[in-house]
């Protein structure tokens, strides 16, 4: 019996199974729209395996974007996602639905929500789930109505005794929130998971903009059906444009365990995340929520806006977190879009993956979140190779042999004996990505660049380096982390960015940790124990399957020691 069949048995289910611009590209909610490719008549394009992932979540075929409404119910995790059932580009959006017992192996069910009623006839867009007292899940989602307005709807399971919650009902008293006259009806979407206040009132936030001010409008309800807009938004920031997919949740000040959205108190802080349509990155602040006035005030250590903290400094968008009561943790899902061409997506027959779900908690320094792949992922590790106390002198590069380098999990502890050779940091270098592009991974530095060369071809014509470089600033040291896709593929016409972020870390231990999940066309990296995360999508032509290689390298004058490196071949998960 193979693993997927076993999974089906364990889960106990069935078989595995507007804007037309003369045919040119138009943009809606910054999803690029290709009208002629949205609904392919010949729906049986062969699914190309090259670049498909082995252990990331993706549908069997076609287009996927945002994760929607994840929650846990009666032993089963539910994940919904924005999906085009008719093609590999954005369009015809439904809420596809998959279920899992471990967040890694997934079974796909029929779509939970599809456009069918006047209040969502032009699309079932993003939203969230809230599990009401008595274990009653409710979905809040954005419907594009018959007048092309963005309205908020709810949907409930048809049969609560079905743990798979296959059937969902969209009652006729929808929409439950309309934009009204004050809100821009084409910028009003993505309701958050609701939270319950001390006075028994429910609250949710909806992403929007007023002129160029990004808004998280607050709505209140006594019964989850009748919602009233609060006079003041929960939060807003001028000149940040449309806020998509807002997420708002408490985190404990100290400790890793997660909390339900409704928890408040002096022992928690709150996190507000928004997806900025203008930059297509996600920013969050850590702050204080005042439940009586419904104000959220970011701490003065959290920059509010474009210079703020990001969940991920790479390709990660429209994320959504949920509280997992089974393991008492907060889990974060995020969409990693393709960065190849639309023609490539159509010929692959699919587009879009979800990043590996991450546990998130507050850094003990109180200033930022930490993120780490959920522990269930480790069950896919099988063959391990190790390196212990290996010195890397300037220019040294060692191949890590003996694992499937195209589908691997790598953890490294680097150490250095001194920071004396760290180069001077120019205070004008506020853009980490620009600094990384300037220095790259090959030019000699002082302390670094050192790190991993992932998805490398035999003669290094192709490689994606994930690395650190440490600089000396006036008061402290500055750690730069990069995931540089510029040499990732010999193919032209791909988006090959140099993603980068700074790592706010205490270097007194003289150690730096790096973990990279490598999965054919994605590299997800966690620097400094999850302080800075970067996801890159890459499409090598030579470094594929058995021809992919993994190296550890140092191009700085300071000798770097690999104190420990564990690299595992990863088994494939059973995904949809
Ligand atoms: N994607 C959805 C919207 C959301 C955007 C449409 C974010 O609801 O704002 O597919 O990627």
């Amino acid at each position: 019996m193979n693993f997927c069949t076993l999974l089906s048995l364990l889960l106990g289910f069935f078989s595995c199974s507007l804007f037309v611009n003369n045919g040119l590209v138009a943009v809606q909610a910054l999803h690029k729209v290709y009208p002629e490719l949205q609904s392919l008549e010949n729906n049986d394009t062969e699914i190309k395996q090259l670049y498909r992932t082995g252990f990331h979540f993706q549908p069997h075929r076609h287009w996927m974007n945002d994760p929607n409404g994840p929650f846990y119910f009666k032993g089963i995790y539910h994940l919904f996602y924005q999906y085009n059932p008719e093609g590999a580009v954005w369009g015809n959006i439904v809420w596809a639905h998959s279920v899992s017992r471990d967040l890694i192996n997934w079974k796909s069910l029929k779509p939970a929500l599809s456009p069918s009623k006047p209040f969502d006839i032009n699309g079932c867009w993003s939203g969230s789930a809230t599990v009401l007292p008595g274990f009653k899940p409710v979905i809040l989602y954005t419907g594009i109505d018959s007048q092309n307005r963005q309205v908020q709807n709810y949907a409930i399971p048809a049969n609560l005794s079905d743990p798979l919650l296959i059937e969902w009902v969209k009652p006729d008293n929808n929409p439950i929130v309309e934009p009204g006259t004050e809100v821009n009806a084409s910028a009003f979407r993505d309701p958050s998971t609701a939270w319950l206040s001390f006075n028994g009132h429910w609250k949710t936030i909806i992403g929007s903009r007023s002129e160029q001010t990004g808004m998280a409008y607050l709505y209140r309800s006594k019964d989850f059906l009748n919602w009233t807009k609060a006079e003041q938004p929960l939060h807003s920031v001028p000149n940040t444009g449309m806020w998509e997919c807002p997420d708002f949740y408490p985190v404990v000040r100290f400790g890793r365990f997660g909390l339900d959205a409704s928890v408040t108190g002096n022992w928690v802080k709150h996190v507000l995340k928004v997806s900025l349509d203008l930059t297509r990155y996600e920013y969050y602040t850590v702050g204080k929520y005042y439940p009586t006035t419904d104000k959220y005030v970011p701490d003065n250590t959290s920059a509010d806006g474009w210079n703020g903290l990001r969940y991920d400094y790479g390709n990660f968008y429209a994320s959504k977190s949920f509280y997992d009561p089974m393991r008492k943790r907060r889990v974060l899902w995020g969409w990693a879009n393709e960065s190849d061409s639309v023609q490539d997506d159509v010929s692959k027959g699919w587009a879009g993956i979800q990043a590996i779900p991450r546990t998130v908690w507050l850094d003990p320094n109180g200033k930022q979140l930490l993120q780490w792949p959920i522990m269930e992922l480790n069950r896919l590790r099988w063959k391990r190779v190790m390196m212990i106390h290996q010195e890397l002198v300037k220019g040294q590069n060692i191949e890590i042999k003996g694992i499937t380098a195209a589908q691997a999990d790598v953890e490294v502890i680097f150490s250095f004996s001194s920071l004396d050779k760290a180069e001077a940091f120019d205070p004008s270098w506020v853009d980490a990505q620009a600094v990384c592009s300037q220095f790259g991974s090959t030019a000699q530095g002082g302390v670094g660049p050192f790190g991993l060369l992932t998805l490398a071809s035999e003669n290094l014509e192709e490689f994606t380096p994930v690395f650190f470089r440490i600089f000396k600033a006036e008061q402290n040291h500055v750690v730069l982390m990069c995931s540089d896709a510029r040499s990732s593929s010999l193919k032209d016409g791909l988006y090959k960015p140099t993603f980068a972020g700074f790592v706010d870390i205490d270097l007194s231990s003289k150690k730096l940790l790096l973990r990279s999940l490598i999965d054919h066309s994605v590299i997800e990296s966690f620097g400094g124990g999850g302080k800075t995360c970067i996801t890159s999508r890459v499409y090598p032509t030579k470094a594929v399957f058995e021809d992919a290689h993994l190296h550890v390298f140092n191009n700085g004058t300071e000798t770097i020691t690999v104190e420990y490196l564990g690299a595992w071949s990863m088994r494939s998960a059973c995904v949809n």
Side-chain angles (χ1 to χ4, degrees):
M1 187 184 301
N2 71 28
F3 186 66
C4 295
T5 320
L6 181 65
L7 175 79
S8 295
L9 288 176
L10 284 174
L11 283 168
F13 30 67
F14 19 87
S15 58
C16 241
S17 28
L18 199 154
F19 285 78
V20 182
N21 261 345
N22 308 322
L24 297 174
V25 176
V27 168
Q28 187 174 21
L30 273 198
H31 290 293
K32 294 213 176 86
V33 180
Y34 301 88
E36 71 289 3
L37 299 173
Q38 272 181 359
S39 308
L40 298 178
E41 271 177 30
N42 179 3
N43 229 342
D44 31 75
T45 328
E46 188 202 338
I47 301 302
K48 301 263 170 33
Q49 289 310 311
L50 184 65
Y51 307 133
R52 268 188 88 79
T53 58
F55 55 93
H56 281 73
F57 182 98
Q58 60 181 128
H60 170 62
R61 64 192 315 129
H62 296 325
W63 166 273
M64 169 176 68
N65 54 290
D66 319 352
N68 290 154
F71 67 93
Y72 174 86
F73 177 74
K74 292 190 181 166
I76 294 193
Y77 294 101
H78 292 256
L79 178 66
F80 305 85
Y81 54 93
Q82 296 277 284
Y83 181 60
N84 179 359
E86 297 176 33
V89 299
W90 186 89
N92 311 305
I93 290 296
V94 304
W95 273 49
H97 183 191
S98 291
V99 286
S100 168
R101 280 201 188 276
D102 61 5
L103 291 167
I104 296 293
N105 297 283
W106 291 90
K107 177 81 192 154
S108 112
L109 304 177
K110 66 173 191 169
L113 307 175
S114 302
S116 65
K117 304 262 183 123
F119 51 78
D120 67 6
I121 195 68
N122 288 311
C124 295
W125 285 16
S126 286
S128 312
T130 306
V131 182
L132 304 188
F135 303 105
K136 294 186 184 131
V138 184
I139 284 170
L140 291 176
Y141 72 101
T142 299
I144 311 302
D145 76 1
S146 46
Q147 302 161 53
N148 269 319
R149 295 179 318 157
Q150 299 178 5
V151 298
Q152 317 312 322
N153 303 320
Y154 77 109
I156 48 176
N159 177 8
L160 276 175
S161 56
D162 167 18
L164 301 181
L165 303 174
I166 295 171
E167 299 290 341
W168 287 78
V169 179
K170 302 182 289 188
D172 285 331
N173 56 348
N174 275 308
I176 49 172
V177 181
E178 294 185 70
T181 48
E182 305 149 46
V183 175
N184 179 345
S186 59
F188 183 52
R189 54 183 181 268
D190 311 334
S192 73
T193 295
W195 66 97
L196 187 59
S197 246
F198 58 95
N199 57 2
H201 293 186
W202 287 98
K203 295 171 185 173
T204 185
I205 49 173
I206 300 171
S208 187
R209 71 177 161 82
S210 171
E211 307 280 329
Q212 280 318 309
T213 298
M215 309 287 267
Y217 285 125
L218 178 77
Y219 283 75
R220 301 190 183 102
S221 172
K222 290 181 188 161
D223 57 6
F224 222 87
L225 291 176
N226 296 288
W227 294 85
T228 311
K229 182 165 166 285
E231 264 179 33
Q232 299 296 323
L234 180 81
H235 195 53
S236 64
V237 181
N239 300 319
T240 49
M242 176 68 196
W243 286 6
E244 298 186 311
C245 303
D247 201 9
F248 185 58
Y249 56 87
V251 284
V252 289
R253 280 172 184 262
F254 298 101
R256 290 188 177 208
F257 63 91
L259 298 170
D260 177 82
S262 303
V263 175
T264 54
N266 282 337
W267 54 289
V268 308
K269 288 197 176 208
H270 272 73
V271 173
L272 175 65
K273 180 279 302 188
V274 297
S275 310
L276 287 199
D277 201 1
L278 289 177
T279 63
R280 305 303 276 177
Y281 291 120
E282 303 212 294
Y283 300 81
Y284 72 88
T285 48
V286 178
K288 185 155 175 60
Y289 169 53
Y290 298 89
T292 42
T293 53
D294 278 323
K295 280 313 265 177
Y296 167 73
V297 183
D299 293 347
N300 59 12
T301 48
S302 265
D304 205 1
W306 293 28
N307 293 326
L309 293 162
R310 294 196 216 157
Y311 274 162
D312 191 299
Y313 291 80
N315 185 336
F316 187 92
Y317 194 67
S319 71
K320 181 78 59 192
S321 73
F322 76 104
Y323 173 61
D324 171 8
M326 253 311 275
R327 293 197 185 268
K328 306 215 175 338
R329 61 187 169 179
R330 183 154 287 271
V331 176
L332 174 69
W333 283 99
W335 165 46
N337 194 6
E338 300 304 310
S339 47
D340 57 358
S341 69
V342 170
Q343 289 68 28
D344 285 339
D345 291 345
V346 172
S347 92
K348 294 197 312 248
W350 58 272
I353 64 167
Q354 302 296 335
I356 291 296
R358 304 169 178 182
T359 309
V360 286
W361 69 97
L362 190 66
D363 188 315
N365 74 12
K367 293 193 291 186
Q368 67 161 100
L369 294 172
L370 297 173
Q371 301 171 55
W372 202 244
I374 53 161
M375 62 199 219
E376 288 88 334
L377 184 71
N378 296 7
R379 294 191 204 137
L380 296 179
R381 292 171 163 180
W382 60 289
K383 198 168 158 194
R384 181 177 68 164
V385 296
M386 271 197 343
M387 182 182 268
I388 303 281
H389 206 77
Q390 168 71 54
E391 289 198 341
L392 296 174
V393 297
K394 183 188 80 184
Q396 202 171 353
N397 172 337
I398 302 180
E399 182 169 359
I400 311 297
K401 292 187 175 162
I403 55 154
T404 55
Q407 195 172 310
D409 182 355
V410 193
E411 286 194 56
V412 202
I413 302 172
F414 295 103
S415 75
F416 39 84
S417 52
S418 145
L419 287 170
D420 292 350
K421 295 189 182 124
E423 303 142 278
F425 184 76
D426 179 336
S428 71
W429 292 345
V430 282
D431 178 357
Q433 196 157 328
V435 186
C436 250
S437 307
Q438 185 184 330
F439 290 101
S441 64
T442 48
Q444 183 189 304
V447 185
F450 62 88
L452 297 169
L453 293 187
T454 68
L455 294 177
S457 59
E458 188 171 5
N459 299 316
L460 297 183
E461 303 93 336
E462 293 180 329
F463 58 95
T464 304
V466 182
F467 59 97
F468 299 111
R469 189 169 182 136
I470 304 175
F471 296 92
K472 171 91 184 82
E474 190 102 322
Q475 306 286 339
N476 56 351
H477 286 93
V478 177
V479 180
L480 182 68
M481 173 176 164
C482 313
S483 179
D484 187 352
R486 284 178 296 184
S487 302
S488 58
S489 176
L490 291 172
K491 207 167 154 199
D492 292 327
L494 304 174
Y495 175 47
K496 301 179 199 171
T498 312
F499 287 132
F502 294 110
V503 192
D504 182 7
I505 197 161
D506 172 12
L507 291 174
S508 53
S509 67
K510 300 207 174 69
K511 286 190 173 58
L512 259 180
L513 274 57
L514 176 65
R515 180 173 181 187
S516 289
L517 306 174
I518 303 160
D519 198 2
H520 301 276
S521 62
V522 61
I523 301 145
E524 268 186 79
S525 301
F526 301 80
K531 280 181 172 265
T532 300
C533 308
I534 311 182
T535 299
S536 294
R537 297 297 312 275
V538 296
Y539 307 89
T541 58
K542 288 172 175 277
V544 297
F545 301 118
E546 298 308 315
D547 296 324
H549 300 262
L550 174 71
H551 301 245
V552 65
F553 77 96
N554 174 27
N555 284 326
T557 46
E558 170 71 24
T559 297
I560 299 294
T561 303
V562 174
E563 293 291 346
Y564 164 83
L565 180 149
W568 290 261
S569 294
M570 292 294 273
R571 269 193 292 263
S572 292
C574 181
V575 179
N576 297 317

